[in-house]
Amino acid sequence: MSLPSSVAYKCRSENPIDDESSVPLRSETENVNSNDNTGNRHPVAGFFHIFFRCAAIAAYLFCGWFSNSFIANFITIILLLAFDFWTVKNVTGRLLVGLRWWNYVDNDGKSHWIYESRKNPEEKPIYPSESRLFWLALIVFPVVWVVFFIVALITFKFKWLLIVIVALSLNFANLIGYVKCKKGAHTKLTRMAGDFLTKQIINRATKGTSTQVLENI
């Protein structure tokens, strides 16, 4: 399986941060006015970031009002959860916070986790309102499903417990993936800042030495 060219954090599952390559996300090629760093740049992405999650919870709570068939309700909720998982993993994370993660299995059967982050965030800024929306939804909705899990377990509704387990798996997969993306992005920024300071110190020391040599001459 060929790898995409837009990998900013490429790593194996046993060491998710060390093996990196500085390649930008494909979204960096989009034209963005870097001076406009307020408001919502991606309202449609923000809407669907919330919509599928709310729809899945609404279907879980109220599907019994419209159908007595557990199979039909099960399929509807699972489809909404799948749409949400794909949208958050591949679209809204890239647009709203400049992060993306994915996984592939090589020919030897080894699992590889790929974490991507925006290479030049100052050229394509992250809007604070969109970032808050993204992380708030990413954290709050898994908590809601945990509550549903406890309720289903206490009330012995084991067939609904299966739906809740699927929802928790998909929601926590995205949450953990993006937390690792964010951690990798901070690690790279810290290293870049350290390299910049080191270069500045070396340049100043070299410049001072050159000045003294010229004065002595």
Side-chain angles (χ1 to χ4, degrees), residues 1-214:
M1 178 178 180
S2 60
L3 299 182
S5 60
S6 57
V7 178
Y9 289 97
K10 178 179 180 181
C11 48
R12 295 181 182 271
S13 57
E14 59 268 19
N15 194 354
I17 299 299
D18 295 337
D19 185 15
E20 300 175 355
S21 59
S22 299
V23 181
L25 282 169
R26 279 189 283 269
S27 60
E28 287 190 46
T29 59
E30 299 171 359
N31 294 324
V32 174
N33 184 2
S34 59
N35 295 323
D36 181 15
N37 56 5
T38 60
N40 296 318
R41 182 72 184 183
H42 308 96
V44 176
F47 170 78
F48 282 105
H49 184 68
I50 299 295
F51 173 75
F52 287 123
R53 297 189 163 217
C54 291
I57 290 177
Y60 179 81
L61 292 174
F62 306 116
C63 61
W65 293 7
F66 305 99
S67 174
N68 293 324
S69 172
F70 174 76
I71 298 300
N73 296 333
F74 178 87
I75 293 174
T76 300
I77 297 170
I78 294 300
L79 283 176
L80 289 171
L81 290 170
F83 291 151
D84 168 69
F85 177 78
W86 185 89
T87 301
V88 174
K89 178 176 174 292
N90 297 296
V91 181
T92 61
R94 176 175 61 87
L95 295 177
L96 301 182
V97 292
L99 300 172
R100 183 168 56 187
W101 68 273
W102 52 285
N103 169 270
Y104 77 98
V105 179
D106 63 17
N107 295 330
D108 297 326
K110 293 182 179 180
S111 179
H112 299 267
W113 294 89
I114 310 300
Y115 302 105
E116 303 175 350
S117 68
R118 190 165 293 158
K119 184 178 180 181
N120 297 312
E122 58 279 349
E123 294 181 2
K124 186 173 171 50
I126 304 300
Y127 301 98
S129 59
E130 293 184 341
S131 179
R132 285 193 297 269
L133 173 68
F134 178 84
W135 289 108
L136 186 64
L138 206 64
I139 295 170
V140 168
F141 283 93
V143 174
V144 174
W145 285 108
V146 168
V147 174
F148 290 162
F149 177 85
I150 295 173
V151 172
L153 191 63
I154 293 174
T155 56
F156 302 104
K157 295 180 179 179
F158 295 113
K159 62 181 181 179
W160 292 100
L161 194 62
L162 177 62
I163 296 177
V164 177
I165 291 174
V166 173
L168 286 172
S169 300
L170 296 177
N171 276 263
F172 274 105
N174 265 328
L175 178 60
I176 293 171
Y178 278 112
V179 167
K180 289 187 176 182
C181 282
K182 192 173 182 65
K183 181 180 178 182
H186 282 309
T187 300
K188 184 177 181 181
L189 287 174
T190 301
R191 186 171 63 252
M192 289 175 63
D195 292 342
F196 176 77
L197 290 175
T198 301
K199 289 180 180 179
Q200 292 297 316
I201 293 172
I202 293 174
N203 289 338
R204 289 187 179 183
T206 304
K207 184 178 180 180
T209 303
S210 302
T211 303
Q212 290 180 358
V213 171
L214 291 174

